Structures are given as C-alpha cells and as structure tokens.
Amino acid sequence: MIEVQHLIFDYPGHRALDDVSFSIAAGSITALVGPNGAGKTTLLRCIAGLQCGTSGFVRIDQVDVADSPRDAHALLGFLSDFFGRYETLTVRQSLAYFGASYRIDQLQQRVAETLSLCRLTEQADTLASDLSRGYRQRLGIAQAIMHQPPVLLLDEPASGLDPEARDELAELLVTLKDNGTTVVVSSHILVELEAYSTHMLVLRDGRLVEMSPLGSVDNRTNLAIGVTSNVEALRQSLSATPGFTIVEADDGVVIGEYDRADPASLAQLNQQLINDGHSVYRFTEIENNLQEQYLRLVTR
C-alpha cells in the first residue's frame, strides 16, 4: 500500500532523511518511532505529499506522490501534530465542509457515518471551540477520513490526551484497521503504540534502523534459563553459544537475547544444555515489548 524507495530529504545544511526505503502492507498499523530529530515528521510529510524529497520516491497504492499529488491526496488522510479547526463551526458543519471539499456524494449520510465511527454523534452540534482535547483529536481524525482514504497518517495523535482518551483513540484506530485502513502513527508514547500497532518502523538520524512486525524484530527472542546446578557453568556454556548474548546471570537464572526465535532452534538449544550436563528447570521466552525492542535498536 505504501512504498518508499531511496528517499532523501535535505534541509539547508542538514539531511533529514538519508536513503530511506521500506514498504507497508495494507490493513496494518505501523508505529513510527525514533528520537527527537530522527526525521519522523519529515517522513510523514513526504508520504503525504506536503514535502518533496531531494531524490527517491513515495508511492501510495502505485500512485507516485510527487508526480500525481492530487491523486495521492485522494488516497490518504493526514493529521499533523498541530492542526487547524474552524472554531465557529459545529462538529457536524466541520465534517460537512471537509466532505464538500472532496465532492462526496450523499454527503449527509457520510457525515452521519463518520460521526458514529469516531463516537462524535453526541457532540455533533457542539462548536469546535468548545470541545475537550480528546474530542478535538477525534474531530481531527474524522475530518481526515471523511473521504474514506485507504491510508491514514497521524503525527503524535495522543499528545496531551488523558489515559481514557488514549484508550478510546486506540479503539478507534483498531476499528479503522479492521475496516481495511492502513495507518501510520508517530508517537513518543510507546506503551500506547503497543496497544494497537502491528509493525514498528524505527528512524535514527534520518536513517531507517528497522522495519519489522512487532514481536519479531531481528527474529530475536529473550530467554530466561534456570538451572539447579552451577549457574556459572551455564553462563560459560551460553557465552560460547553462537547468537546468544547474556544480559544478566543471578540466582541460578541466566537472562539473555538469542538471535534464533524459531521453535526448532529453541528446542535445539534446550537439548544442547541438557546434553552438556546442566539441570535445566526453566527455559522460558520473555515477552519482548515495543519499548524493549525500540531501546535495543536505537542504542545498538
């Protein structure tokens, strides 16, 4: 659905994106993460066709964003970190205005559908200026999806939201995904992203560090291996095992990272330890959450 190839973007005296290439499949939610200044917002704006790269290309459903910006804009919705609202319009009027700009047929029906989808029906006749932060974010997303785009780009949508509003935002994004929308979300709130993301795209210093399904970055897994025998002997055996990196060894348990996550390799490692004379009583995979994956990738 989204294809980015060899994208370079230069600001005066600074390269914001440096040969970035990746593809995003339809019907996924990709968490776009990275340190401040990594190039996340610039990347979203390039995908949205609001900025053009120095070289490389971006395609949305085979449409080149630079060559055919109007066609590309029809395929995507974009909500920036700071977005404008028509404060003197109601929620319903705001959606009708955006819908009219896209020349949507059966406009009032589409307004009603979007109000329902974004859980704004009860606020339909409320002025945009009177909405809470959470409802303003919902209105922003509703405006971005009025024309039913297959791609939705969100830059820090949970910024400033309380926990309840964040949960409601997560539910909305999952609903959009289930309806076939491809979503890319930039955020610093990794716990929130983990609640609904299917993939993680990591940028650092304008370069792509990783693009992988969540839970399988680098095909690695974290293991906790416990023995009733000498833990130092276990540590030495694991240190000599190709692909195994020890993180901690204490109280008869070694915790480490193994670069083979498939069941056959894990079974082989377990059997190898038993054959080496270790009395293994624990051989457990430890859940590798988004924050752990992110920290490992940006610090390696």
Side-chain angles (χ1 to χ4, degrees), residues 42 151 195:
T42 301
V151 172

Side-chain angles (χ1 to χ4, degrees), residues 171-199:
E171 291 178 6
L172 173 57
L173 296 184
V174 170
T175 298
L176 290 172
K177 176 185 75 71
D178 291 343
N179 289 342
T181 304
T182 304
V183 184
V184 181
V185 187
S186 169
S187 178
H188 289 92
I189 308 171
L190 299 186
V191 173
E192 164 241 327
L193 287 171
E194 188 171 24
Y196 52 76
S197 299
T198 61
H199 294 71

Side-chain angles (χ1 to χ4, degrees), residues 128-240:
S129 59
D130 294 335
L131 294 174
S132 67
R133 172 70 176 175
Y135 282 117
R136 288 200 299 271
Q137 288 297 97
R138 289 197 214 178
L139 173 58
I141 294 174
Q143 291 173 165
I145 64 172
M146 266 298 294
H147 58 303
Q148 296 178 287
V151 172
L152 177 62
L153 310 174
L154 304 173
D155 193 2
E156 298 286 351
S159 177
L161 299 187
D162 60 38
E164 182 178 358
R166 288 178 185 170
D167 286 343
E168 292 172 348
L169 173 64
E171 291 178 6
L172 173 57
L173 296 184
V174 170
T175 298
L176 290 172
K177 176 185 75 71
D178 291 343
N179 289 342
T181 304
T182 304
V183 184
V184 181
V185 187
S186 169
S187 178
H188 289 92
I189 308 171
L190 299 186
V191 173
E192 164 241 327
L193 287 171
E194 188 171 24
Y196 52 76
S197 299
T198 61
H199 294 71
M200 179 171 69
L201 192 160
V202 183
L203 289 180
R204 181 178 62 196
D205 298 327
R207 289 181 173 271
L208 178 68
V209 177
E210 189 73 39
M211 171 64 186
S212 298
L214 280 177
S216 63
V217 173
D218 289 337
N219 196 34
R220 294 171 179 257
T221 187
N222 291 330
L223 294 173
I225 304 172
V227 293
T228 58
S229 51
N230 187 348
V231 71
E232 179 60 24
L234 173 64
R235 191 190 68 79
Q236 292 177 4
S237 291
L238 290 172
S239 295

Side-chain angles (χ1 to χ4, degrees), residues 1-9 17-25 43 46-47 52-66 201 203 206 208 211:
M1 178 56 70
I2 301 175
E3 182 185 3
V4 176
Q5 290 295 324
H6 304 296
L7 182 64
I8 294 175
F9 186 93
L17 297 173
D18 190 0
D19 196 25
V20 174
S21 298
F22 61 86
S23 296
I24 295 177
L43 177 59
C46 286
I47 295 174
C52 291
T54 307
S55 63
F57 66 81
V58 177
R59 290 177 182 152
I60 307 292
D61 197 19
Q62 303 301 316
V63 175
D64 190 292
V65 172
L201 192 160
L203 289 180
L208 178 68
M211 171 64 186

